[in-house]
Amino acid sequence: MLYDIFIDPFVQMYEMPDFFLQVLWEGFVAGILYALIALGFVLIFKASGVFNFAQGIMVVFAGLTLVGLHENGVPAYVALLLTIGVMGILAYGVERVVMRPLVNQPDIILLMATIGLTYFLIGFGEFVFGGEPKQMITEELGLPTGSTAFEFGERGLVILQHIDIAAAVIAVIMVAALGVFFNKTRIGRALRAVADDHQAALSVGISLNQIWAIVWFAAGLVALATGIMWGARSDVSFALEIVAFKALPVLILGGFTSIPGAIVGGLIIGFGEKIGELYWGGLVGGGIESWLAYIIALIFLLFRPQGLFGERIIERI
């Protein structure tokens, strides 16, 4: 038993390096996609201090809107622009109807509001687009398809899907853009001030309503990018909402307020669950990929509750 746990997996990695590299690549891609989802949660948390329960359904809603518009005869790029507009309208509506009346309310009230928003979007999405899975318009958007195989000496092949490479590039670009936005722009600094203290931000002339509308729109854009990339790998369906909650262990590892933390946390979870499933999963009957991330996050939570890059909040009485 001890041999199967501590020695045999590493022997397999050495004897089949091509397979090990393939596993690493699959873990990298999964981690990047988890990080994309987590970015949406981080944006809202930085602005309001609340875990946005609706981020998962926003990913589904954005993907369904894009595909639904195209199915009704709208050209792909026009549908993309219209979907961005829809996410903007959603952001404005959330700010006016949900967030503005709840200024200075306890965080639990805001969390409950995002839960209510989740169920509204589920019902509205099913009413407009139906509940059937839809195929993402990958080729129409100009995203690459197919794969490239790399020979690994005489010991096998490593196959890279082009859509996975595109997902990694898009994630890096979005992270860089958000990093510049938060650290180098006036709106980004105002957003951080709002996150620290709503009343203090209002007292120095920062428009809370404007900041919330902007950040919900940014989270909507992240949701759209995530919906496109996840939808290209599978279908666009309401099942994606469940996948989105894999962002929770990512946030615990990286920190709820850190954009780089979302990336690092996503990669740790992505590598961990793929390697764990393929080399140790058989010892417990398989299927550990669905829950290993939460175990990793729980163990990490015991030693560093604020995450790798999160802010440690100290309250003095």
Side-chain angles (χ1 to χ4, degrees):
M1 185 66 179
L2 292 177
Y3 175 84
D4 292 335
I5 297 175
F6 295 107
I7 298 179
D8 185 58
F10 299 101
V11 173
Q12 292 182 46
M13 293 176 193
Y14 175 76
E15 291 180 344
M16 295 185 290
D18 56 321
F19 182 71
F20 180 55
L21 286 176
Q22 189 72 52
V23 172
L24 289 180
W25 172 250
E26 295 293 333
F28 173 76
V29 173
I32 286 292
L33 291 173
Y34 290 150
L36 266 180
I37 298 175
L39 279 177
F41 287 98
V42 169
L43 285 171
I44 302 298
F45 194 86
K46 284 176 77 72
S48 62
V50 172
F51 181 79
N52 175 26
F53 199 84
Q55 187 64 32
I57 192 63
M58 285 173 63
V59 172
V60 179
F61 189 78
L64 286 176
T65 303
L66 176 61
V67 176
L69 288 170
H70 185 65
E71 286 181 346
N72 284 282
V74 180
Y77 286 107
V78 178
L80 181 63
L81 293 175
L82 289 176
T83 304
I84 293 173
V86 169
M87 300 312 290
I89 294 172
L90 177 64
Y92 181 75
V94 168
E95 187 278 318
R96 290 299 297 267
V97 178
V98 180
M99 304 301 287
R100 184 177 295 191
L102 299 178
V103 172
N104 293 327
Q105 294 297 314
D107 291 346
I108 186 64
I109 300 297
L110 293 172
L111 173 63
M112 295 304 293
T114 65
I115 293 176
L117 177 64
T118 299
Y119 286 102
F120 168 76
L121 289 178
I122 291 174
F124 186 69
E126 288 183 341
F127 174 73
V128 175
F129 305 110
E132 302 80 15
K134 298 179 185 299
Q135 188 173 5
M136 178 51 66
I137 50 174
T138 308
E139 294 184 12
E140 291 84 348
L141 290 173
L143 293 172
T145 57
S147 61
T148 299
F150 293 93
E151 293 187 10
F152 193 71
E154 298 178 352
R155 309 182 70 172
L157 297 171
V158 176
I159 301 173
L160 307 184
Q161 299 293 330
H162 294 169
I163 190 65
D164 294 341
I165 299 173
V169 172
I170 289 173
V172 170
I173 292 173
M174 292 195 73
V175 169
L178 289 172
V180 171
F181 175 75
F182 278 111
N183 296 308
K184 302 296 182 183
T185 67
R186 183 179 62 84
I187 294 176
R189 288 191 288 271
L191 191 150
R192 297 209 307 272
V194 169
D196 289 339
D197 192 314
H198 292 176
Q199 289 184 320
L202 285 170
S203 68
V204 296
I206 295 175
S207 171
L208 197 62
N209 301 325
Q210 183 185 44
I211 292 298
W212 274 351
I214 290 173
V215 79
W216 274 86
F217 179 57
L221 294 181
V222 172
L224 175 59
T226 309
I228 292 173
M229 304 318 297
W230 271 105
R233 302 185 89 231
S234 55
D235 291 324
V236 183
S237 70
F238 286 92
L240 277 180
E241 187 192 7
I242 305 301
V243 177
F245 284 107
K246 276 288 184 72
L248 184 57
V250 171
L251 292 169
I252 291 174
L253 261 69
F256 277 77
T257 58
S258 173
I259 291 175
I263 301 300
V264 175
L267 292 176
I268 292 174
I269 294 298
F271 285 130
E273 67 177 20
K274 293 295 180 186
I275 293 174
E277 173 69 41
L278 291 167
Y279 289 101
W280 282 273
L283 299 175
V284 292
I288 68 172
E289 189 174 351
S290 60
W291 51 262
L292 183 61
Y294 299 97
I295 299 298
I296 295 173
L298 181 61
I299 295 172
F300 193 84
L301 198 60
L302 297 174
F303 298 97
R304 193 173 172 83
Q306 72 272 28
L308 286 170
F309 299 92
E311 299 170 1
R312 187 174 185 179
I313 299 173
I314 300 175
E315 294 185 358
R316 294 185 173 86
I317 300 175

